[in-house]
Amino acid sequence: MTSGLTADSGLRSLAERVLGQVPSAATYADVRVIRRRHDGLHVEGKSVGQVLTEESEGIGLRVLLDGQWGFACTARLDDLDAVVRRAVDQARAAHGLGSPISLAPAPVVQAVYATAVARDPFSVPVTQKIDLLLAAADGMCRSGGPQTVAEASMDFFRDEKVFANTEGSRIEQSITESGAGLMATASDGSDVQRRSYPQGVPRAIRGQRGDFASAGYEHIEQMDLISAAPRVGEEAVALLHAPACPMTTTTLIVGGAQMAQLVHECVGHPSELDRALGAEASLAGGTFLEVAGRGTQRFGSELVNMTADATLAGGLGSFAYDDEGVAAQRTPLVERGVFVGYMSSRESAARLGVTSTGAARADGWGRVPLVRMTNVSLEPGQTDLEEMIAGVDDGIFMDMNRSLSIDDQRLSFSFGCEIGWEIKKGRLGRLLKNCSFRGITPQFWAKCDAVANQSSYRLYGIPSCNKGEPLQVAHIGHGTVPARFRDVSVGAR
Amino acid sequence: VTALANLPELLDILGPPAHLEALVERQELLRFANSRVTYQHSEERILVRARIIRDGRAAWGTTSTLRPAALLALRQRLETFLDALPPDGAGYLAEPAQCASPTTYFESTASATAQGRATLFRDALAMLPPGAALGGSITHGVVEHSVTNSNGLARSEQRTRAAAQFIGSRGEQSSFGRAVHRDALALPTRSVMDSVLAGLTPLPQRSLETGTYRALLGPQATITLLAIYAQIALGGHQYLDGLSAVSGQMGEEVISPLLTLVDDGADDAGLPTTFDTEGYPKRRITLIDHGRLTGVVHDANTARRARGLPTGHTAPPGWRFGGDPIPSHLFIAAGSANDSNLLAAVGSGLAIQRVDYVRVVNARQTLVTGTTRDATQWIEDGRIAARVPHFRFTLRLTDLLNCVEAVGTRRERGDSVFMESVVAPGIVVAALPVQTVVST
């Protein structure tokens, strides 16, 4: 096992120089110097679509002065005075426009961390990656036929980050992420259906498709894309001829891949503390999980346990320290169906008089840290998946997200899935297309009467969580198992 | 202009044939919630995109500096990529061509300060009635966009962008307003606040049942829905591959004859932009003329397949919203109904200020689902009479756009995360489905 790179002395030196120029009147400042690399490969059918390599390097400085934040960032590393001046000007301009900001205390840390990587993805020959993607696309095309568009992609990210603050923390982290995926789109002139593996995406996001992990190329090898490809192509075509999901109220089993998106929208975003405090009310929205409801507000049935855990090995939301220098930790969100806690930053935690849960994350050097998900998971229950299906006389099994929508309080949701199967007398039956289900979050989770056990557990990595203004895209993880829900409104729309 | 002067030297480093694009950007933002500043943001960013082409192989790369040494390192990385690729005929480069020349840069926006944004925020706070709170943001940005390539193409443009978004709240009511403009001095912040305050006028609560209602979609709601329709239905790739609801229907009536949709990067009623990421000039395309499909937008690939010209809608490499061309500067033609006429045309029904989290369920069917947000109201006898709960709708956009009964004279300028600008009036529709009532 090897480790990813750690920061070089140039990044450390930049951080110290910027921090040294912050005026003494500032009550707090932190600086992040980040070098980011992303390589992406995308193939479509027999052709190589887009081959892309991206790199950026810059500084983000956050200053707390006169009780207000100022944030400035730049890729111009030859003019550090300017970035300090801009941050300070911003903080001063906001003087008096709100109560003074305070931060929850955090230990001073000096640390170095790197993602555990068995095979550095940036050292794997491009030829090997392209050959794998072309073979997988060919497998989908062969089984899908001439009307199937087969796409396959791989992406690799590495952030080398130096964090330093005026409290004395100095942290270097090298985070390496690897991901890949397949998607087959079949059409017959009047209908279009798609199948993905191992994880779908909410939109046609090129370059970040599939399932990701904080890991090296070994994550790609474990996916066995070539073996999965024929099934993906076959199912896309089979869906064209499948009956549509009936409009009815029935028993629903949500598969693990779909559960990742359900957990994300119904539990992850609502348990971000900045939303509960109203800081996101004008953009991302609020949450139905109330500050006063911690420990008493019912989220779902007693079978439901949710956690946010940035320490999970390989999780896409895993790290050693967040972007405020707070240690990664495991935070219970829902215990036995009761909402118990939020994910927080130092600023939001201070508003509640508690310490940060280490969930302040920024999208690179050019963005301010926000409360973001880490690895938000549905903890395994006691039921074997076969047993769960066997307990359904008449119902539907749905999996793999195709579309989603949820209101700004995270209550009313609608999810569309790539695929479904009828369940009749305890057994999976016909394929169903255009499957969707909808509900009101706490009412829906109250009807959860079975959660699959550890043998069905899988940790998914989704690199496309949007929040903030300017927009930030976070890479987060979801550990999930399938679960069963009674009396769910399902249908073809 | 600083980047364009450097580009010939950098292009030489890449070696012919190659394409080079530079975006030198500064963006500043004041964000607020509950009537207090939550954070401020000042960003300077450089994005250099390079594409090198060798023997029918092409690879893209980006870096965040204009330093020649960085471009040389990028070229070396790209060449290792190219060695691994099979030839695929990816060797096209844009040819030099004339661009329109609308005004895209305003000093008022480029020179806006943190103090100025704070003053705008204070002014907006001063307009609030007792018990109300304000959230939102004020943004000023400037970007210098330069493109050059080995065919001798060289263009550059500076664009400014000012935006204000206000969300007022009082009790259980909230109200939204948004404006964008290239010129900060022309940004109508006061009238946006006036419309926000109008949405906070105390109204009695009315219950709402699931069903189908006549409805007035305000300009911002129309902007969101029409932008999604154009994204999924009016791009060259979707059209040619049979993935669009209107594939194969060129010349046919596809939506209400009351609607005309145009894409025009030169019209300063939007946020003008004169060329795309490849340097192709943005051409005015009438997409739908009085309900009849008349055009779709193209990049070089889809234009070649359609035996036409690129329309200036190439998606940047690695773009979050896919690699296919979609409209970028959408205009919905104004109609003949003023605000009072629109209310009267509804008679009894819903007034929707804003829709939120609208997502595509099935692109081929134009099936979308979303919710209402902020001021969702009831119209009785042509007047706003009550507020109603928010609700979820799931509908086919083609159905909605086929039941338009009136189009407003007053248009608002907006944008979307995947479109530079959208300009639209309010519209009255005969049938808006209320699927699930969310809350009271």
Side-chain angles (χ1 to χ4, degrees), chain A residues 4-78:
Chain A
L5 302 174
T6 53
D8 63 30
S9 59
L11 300 188
R12 281 195 293 272
S13 163
L14 277 169
E16 295 295 347
R17 282 163 54 202
V18 172
L19 211 52
Q21 293 181 41
V22 173
S24 57
T27 51
Y28 174 85
D30 59 32
V31 60
R32 291 172 300 113
V33 187
I34 299 175
R35 180 181 296 146
R36 169 175 283 186
R37 180 170 170 190
H38 165 221
D39 281 3
L41 305 123
H42 175 261
V43 308
E44 186 170 327
K46 297 182 188 307
S47 301
V48 177
Q50 206 161 70
V51 178
L52 181 68
T53 180
E54 300 180 293
E55 63 174 17
S56 80
E57 187 174 325
I59 295 171
L61 171 68
R62 200 169 60 147
V63 172
L64 191 53
L65 187 71
D66 293 341
Q68 298 295 331
W69 284 121
F71 173 79
C73 60
T74 188
R76 294 183 162 172
L77 307 181
D78 54 352

Side-chain angles (χ1 to χ4, degrees), chain A residues 398-413:
Chain A
M398 295 188 197
D399 207 8
M400 198 67 81
N401 196 69
R402 178 169 166 154
S403 68
L404 65 96
S405 173
I406 190 163
D407 71 43
D408 61 305
Q409 295 300 308
R410 301 275 144 177
L411 280 167
S412 168
F413 65 77

Side-chain angles (χ1 to χ4, degrees), chain A residues 276-290:
Chain A
L277 296 174
E280 288 291 323
S282 60
L283 190 76
T287 172
F288 68 96
L289 295 174
E290 298 167 5

Side-chain angles (χ1 to χ4, degrees), chain B residues 310-326:
Chain B
T311 58
H313 294 84
T314 313
W319 197 38
R320 292 177 51 244
F321 299 100
D324 303 322
I326 60 171

Side-chain angles (χ1 to χ4, degrees), chain A residues 161-438:
Chain A
K161 315 202 286 188
V162 171
F163 172 88
N165 69 13
T166 48
E167 295 170 345
S169 285
R170 300 289 185 272
I171 299 166
E172 296 174 18
Q173 297 187 90
S174 175
I175 310 288
T176 302
E177 300 167 344
S178 301
L182 309 178
M183 188 165 87
T185 305
S187 60
D188 62 4
S190 61
D191 193 10
V192 180
Q193 295 292 329
R194 82 171 202 210
R195 279 296 277 146
S196 307
Y197 171 83
Q199 179 59 280
V201 288
R203 288 182 293 272
I205 302 172
R206 285 194 174 172
Q208 297 185 5
R209 176 176 296 157
D211 181 55
F212 287 69
S214 291
Y217 195 74
E218 65 277 9
H219 178 65
I220 308 298
E221 294 169 323
Q222 286 160 8
M223 287 182 191
D224 200 3
L225 296 173
I226 292 175
S227 295
R231 176 185 59 77
V232 173
E234 280 165 16
E235 287 181 350
V237 174
L239 283 167
L240 290 174
H241 311 294
C245 178
M247 299 283 283
T248 187
T249 299
T250 191
T251 298
L252 172 70
I253 295 179
V254 177
Q258 177 60 40
M259 183 60 76
Q261 206 67 53
L262 189 61
V263 167
H264 183 97
E265 305 296 347
C266 290
V267 185
H269 281 305
S271 7
E272 295 164 345
L273 181 53
D274 55 348
R275 295 179 75 111
L277 296 174
E280 288 291 323
S282 60
L283 190 76
T287 172
F288 68 96
L289 295 174
E290 298 167 5
V291 170
R294 282 172 297 159
T296 57
Q297 187 176 353
R298 174 69 48 192
F299 172 85
S301 77
E302 290 219 338
L303 301 176
V304 180
N305 293 283
M306 304 276 189
T307 55
D309 189 349
T311 68
L312 287 181
L316 195 62
S318 295
F319 44 79
Y321 296 89
D322 75 0
D323 289 319
E324 291 185 318
V326 176
Q329 49 201 276
R330 178 180 170 90
T331 306
L333 304 176
V334 175
E335 288 181 337
R336 296 175 63 85
V338 175
F339 165 59
V340 294
Y342 294 104
M343 293 169 281
S344 63
S345 61
R346 292 183 66 182
E347 179 187 351
S348 58
R351 300 266 304 273
L352 296 191
V354 297
T355 55
S356 167
T357 68
R361 305 178 68 193
D363 181 7
W365 53 264
R367 295 291 181 266
V368 68
L370 299 173
V371 180
R372 301 306 303 260
M373 282 176 247
T374 54
N375 302 298
V376 176
S377 302
L378 171 64
E379 297 299 319
Q382 302 296 323
T383 310
D384 183 77
L385 179 58
E386 297 298 321
E387 181 191 327
M388 187 187 295
I389 295 168
V392 179
D393 188 53
D394 187 1
I396 297 177
F397 187 114
M398 295 188 197
D399 207 8
M400 198 67 81
N401 196 69
R402 178 169 166 154
S403 68
L404 65 96
S405 173
I406 190 163
D407 71 43
D408 61 305
Q409 295 300 308
R410 301 275 144 177
L411 280 167
S412 168
F413 65 77
S414 177
F415 289 95
C417 299
E418 285 186 0
I419 195 163
W421 290 267
E422 279 182 342
I423 306 174
K424 295 288 184 190
K425 300 191 185 314
R427 304 183 66 164
L428 291 180
R430 291 188 305 171
L431 211 60
L432 297 172
K433 69 177 174 184
N434 300 343
C435 292
S436 68
F437 63 98
R438 60 200 64 84

